[in-house]
Amino acid sequence: MGFPTKIIYYSQNIDQSMTERLWARRKAEKDMELMARLNEAYRSISVIDVRTERMHLYRNLMLPDCMAGFVEDAPYEENLEHFAREFLALEDADAFLEKMRLLTVRKELKHKKAYSVFCLIRAERQAEAGLKYEKFSFSFSGKNNQTVVLATRDITEIVEWGQDML
C-alpha cells in the first residue's frame, strides 16, 4: 500500500473525460429535441448564452439574408439594435429594445416559463421579411438557466383576423 500508481491516475482522468463527453452529448441531444419541437411552430430559432451574451442562429426560414448573416454569432444587444433599426418603425424601435433587453428577459423568465414580445415590421420591409407582425418568445434551456432560447414566429394572420395580440 502506498501512493496511487500512474495507471490509476490515468484511469481516473479517462473516466472523468468520458463522463464529461457523455454529459455534453446528452445535453446536445436534449437541445436537438427542443429545437425539433420548436421547429414545428416557429420560423427562426436562436440560442443565447447568458454568460457571454452572445447569440447563435440555429434555424432560419424567413429572416432576411442580411439579418441571418448578422445573427450567426453576434453579441445579443448589438443584434437587437441591428434588427430594430433595420426592420421596425422608428417610434416602435425604442420600446421594443427595452422589452428585449437581456436583463429584462432574465427578470421576466424568473417568474414565468416563457416571455413574449410582439413587434410590427416597417411597411417598406414587410415584403422582404415576408411578414407584418412578429412574435419573439423566450424560454430557459439548460442547467442553471445559463441558456435562453429565442424563437420567432410570424403572427400576421392572427393579428389580421382581429385578435388583440398587440
Side-chain angles (χ1 to χ4, degrees):
M1 305 294 149
F3 295 105
T5 64
K6 283 186 179 179
I7 294 168
I8 293 172
Y9 175 75
Y10 291 140
S11 175
Q12 286 172 339
N13 280 349
I14 290 168
D15 285 348
Q16 187 177 356
S17 176
M18 285 176 68
T19 303
E20 287 171 3
R21 282 201 308 261
L22 185 60
W23 182 84
R25 182 177 171 182
R26 283 191 183 141
K27 182 187 179 311
E29 286 171 357
K30 279 179 115 178
D31 284 349
M32 292 312 291
E33 283 175 31
L34 174 67
M35 295 304 157
R37 287 197 306 271
L38 287 170
N39 281 347
E40 295 169 12
Y42 294 91
R43 35 180 220 94
S44 71
I45 301 162
S46 303
V47 172
I48 303 152
D49 185 327
V50 174
R51 285 169 295 206
T52 63
E53 297 189 5
R54 291 190 78 79
M55 191 170 176
H56 182 77
L57 185 70
Y58 259 67
R59 172 181 165 274
N60 170 52
L61 276 184
M62 295 172 66
L63 273 177
D65 288 342
C66 64
M67 188 60 191
F70 188 81
V71 79
E72 191 61 40
D73 181 22
Y76 175 75
E77 301 288 345
E78 188 180 328
N79 186 46
L80 278 193
E81 186 80 26
H82 177 77
F83 176 80
R85 300 299 171 221
E86 287 285 323
F87 295 100
L88 302 185
L90 193 58
E91 57 275 14
D92 297 335
D94 289 334
F96 171 82
L97 287 170
E98 187 58 37
K99 288 178 188 170
M100 295 282 284
R101 286 177 58 230
L102 197 52
L103 199 63
T104 307
V105 170
R106 290 181 74 179
K107 191 170 83 176
E108 291 290 333
L109 287 178
K110 279 184 181 177
H111 308 292
K112 307 172 188 173
K113 287 186 178 178
Y115 173 65
S116 296
V117 177
F118 303 98
C119 69
L120 171 64
I121 304 298
R122 206 181 327 166
E124 61 271 24
R125 287 287 204 166
Q126 287 173 15
E128 180 186 343
L131 54 93
K132 187 173 180 181
Y133 297 96
E134 189 164 23
K135 174 184 176 183
F136 289 76
S137 295
F138 295 89
S139 58
F140 275 129
S141 167
K143 269 189 171 179
N144 303 322
N145 298 335
Q146 290 302 314
T147 304
V148 173
V149 176
L150 167 60
T152 67
R153 180 179 178 193
D154 178 5
I155 55 166
T156 297
E157 287 182 19
I158 296 168
V159 176
E160 294 294 311
W161 278 98
Q163 292 188 20
D164 188 16
M165 298 288 289
L166 300 171

